[in-house]
Amino acid sequence: MFDFTATAGLSKPELYRELLAAADALTAGESDAVANMANVAALLWEFLPDVNWTGFYRVVGDELVLGPFAGRPACIRIAMGKGVCGAAALQGETQLVPDVQAFPGHIACDGATESEIVVPVLRDGKVIAVIDCDSPVKARFDAEDAAGIEALAALLADRI
Ligand code: SME
């Protein structure tokens, strides 16, 4: 099993390389989408410092529906275009939100959340899910987090 204590002291790009390798090892050859999302939500939770929610919303019909996650129970359904997750799903682009209070329409599932990143998972050019990571620290996520989680989304495109 992966030794999570070995991630201490890694730079962000190194941390994401390790995370990607662990996600690849855990999901390779496994066709069950729920199992793969559950393991990746847990990996994000273990690897990333200062997070209070990590997980998935899946595109189901014309809305987003809660998927596997780590953290507190969250809102179940999000309309396309609503909140940070809905914006990422509608636009097909990563949303980097340093201050959730300043994001119009942010959906507050946990009052402790101060910043957030949401990355779409695209398959054949269509958004099939989003990866959402929340933090109780303002401006917790930056371009390196975006690059790392986008690489993870690309890996998962045909595994979830
Ligand atoms: N804050 C998100 C909703 C999902 S929860 O944070 C887990 C949003 O505005 O879309």
Side-chain angles (χ1 to χ4, degrees):
M1 240 314 129
F2 192 84
D3 176 13
F4 292 106
T5 58
T7 60
L10 293 183
S11 71
K12 241 185 222 192
E14 287 167 342
L15 188 72
Y16 279 106
R17 268 197 293 279
E18 292 291 328
L19 197 165
L20 197 70
D24 189 21
L26 276 169
T27 60
E30 176 50 65
S31 60
D32 191 278
V34 173
N36 287 340
M37 286 187 279
N39 264 334
V40 171
L43 276 182
L44 286 162
W45 180 264
E46 290 288 345
F47 267 85
L48 302 185
D50 301 322
V51 291
N52 61 338
W53 202 90
T54 57
F56 291 80
Y57 280 88
R58 300 156 299 126
V59 176
V60 180
D62 59 357
E63 62 184 352
L64 292 171
V65 182
L66 183 63
F69 66 93
R72 291 189 173 163
C75 41
I76 298 167
R77 292 174 188 272
I78 297 176
M80 207 52 83
K82 297 289 179 198
V84 186
C85 291
L90 187 67
Q91 296 165 28
E93 280 168 16
T94 296
Q95 307 291 308
L96 200 48
V97 181
D99 178 0
V100 295
Q101 316 293 343
F103 188 95
H106 167 255
I107 300 161
C109 291
D110 181 346
T113 297
E114 295 283 359
S115 63
E116 176 163 3
I117 185 170
V118 183
V119 173
V121 180
L122 288 105
R123 187 193 297 152
D124 301 327
K126 277 178 58 182
V127 179
I128 58 164
V130 299
I131 302 172
D132 181 12
C133 299
D134 296 348
S135 172
V137 177
K138 273 207 173 73
R140 157 68 182 80
F141 305 102
D142 60 17
E144 288 182 340
D145 295 285
I149 301 171
E150 284 166 2
L152 188 61
L155 174 81
L156 296 176
D158 59 3
R159 300 184 185 187
I160 65 170

